[in-house]
Amino acid sequence: MKTLLSEQELRIGVERLAKSIDDFYGVSPLTVIAVMTGSLVLFADLIRLLSMPLRVGVVQASSYREGMASGELHVDRRMMIDVFGRDVMLVDDIFDTGKTLDRLHDEIRGLGANSVRSAVLLKKIRSVEVDLRPDFAAFEIPDEFVVGYGLDYRDHFRNLPFLGVLEPSDLESMA
Ligand code: 5GP
Ligand code: MG
């Protein structure tokens, strides 16, 4: 697998991301929500670098799809925390077409949040399909299918400590 971002590059990028979030929000309390499952690794690293008082929750967003093509989005709010009157920041692994975060922004605004912003590890350089842009992004990457550091291909490779570009030969190592 070709490495796009090494473990060290990821760490530096996440530190930079945390710094811009800290600078933006200062000491005001924040509710951070992890968009499961891809943001799992980023989320664990990021929240430990933030300085303001934090409330932490998760939301499940998944598209009905197998593999690499984006499909219809399903949002499961059963594990989410109360956002009414709160400043909320969604955390996701990657901003691709933007449909996932656009939809989640709408949902959380609809639940009465005071503000909704989003932070992502990666933003793909490609034609976005929505008006929304992530407020904080650690890296811009080319339009290639990446895995590792939480990102999967059919639920594999999330545990890789680096970010790699999936190649056909990598599929042989899948169970
Ligand atoms: P969007 O709704 O912005 O098009 O897509 C966001 C979701 O698509 C991400 O949360 C992620 O699950 C998936 N996705 C988009 N690009 C990639 C990619 O390069 N690799 C992986 N593993 N998932 C991706
Ligand atoms: Mg995802």
Side-chain angles (χ1 to χ4, degrees):
M1 192 177 294
K2 189 181 89 188
T3 300
L4 189 64
L5 294 167
S6 68
E7 217 175 325
Q8 196 198 357
E9 288 169 321
L10 286 168
R11 181 161 25 81
I12 292 166
V14 174
E15 284 169 4
R16 218 185 320 118
L17 184 67
K19 172 89 170 59
S20 25
I21 296 166
D22 261 352
D23 287 348
F24 183 85
Y25 286 103
V27 293
S28 49
L30 186 62
T31 295
V32 281
I33 298 181
V35 183
M36 289 288 115
T37 306
S39 73
L40 191 63
V41 179
L42 167 68
F43 198 69
D45 284 345
L46 181 64
I47 59 175
R48 287 177 292 167
L49 296 172
L50 296 176
S51 318
M52 69 288 282
L54 280 186
R55 290 165 75 240
V56 167
V58 303
V59 65
Q60 173 90 48
S62 48
S63 28
Y64 295 109
R65 52 156 195 180
E66 274 279 279
M68 301 187 179
S70 216
E72 192 197 329
L73 193 73
H74 173 74
V75 177
D76 186 341
R77 286 204 253 114
R78 279 177 300 183
M79 281 173 71
M80 211 172 74
I81 52 172
D82 175 37
V83 296
F84 186 83
R86 306 282 183 173
D87 292 313
V88 175
M89 188 179 73
L90 290 162
V91 178
D92 205 356
D93 51 358
I94 184 165
F95 190 94
D96 184 12
T97 66
K99 284 182 190 165
T100 305
L101 280 177
D102 192 53
R103 164 83 184 277
L104 287 172
H105 268 244
D106 284 352
E107 296 238 350
I108 288 169
R109 244 183 258 112
L111 293 169
N114 183 50
S115 68
V116 189
R117 294 190 173 80
S118 51
V120 295
L121 180 72
L122 308 166
K123 182 179 178 311
K124 270 195 186 169
I125 302 169
R126 67 119 104 190
S127 52
V128 181
E129 295 176 26
V130 296
D131 293 331
L132 183 87
R133 296 291 178 278
D135 299 276
F136 309 96
F139 300 98
E140 290 217 334
I141 61 161
D143 192 8
E144 290 182 289
F145 194 83
V146 291
V147 295
Y149 197 73
L151 290 101
D152 73 309
Y153 175 69
R154 299 192 176 188
D155 292 313
H156 286 75
F157 307 116
R158 292 194 197 276
N159 58 313
L160 297 178
F162 59 92
L163 191 80
V165 177
L166 197 67
E167 288 163 355
S169 57
D170 299 319
L171 304 182
E172 288 157 25
S173 67
M174 285 172 47

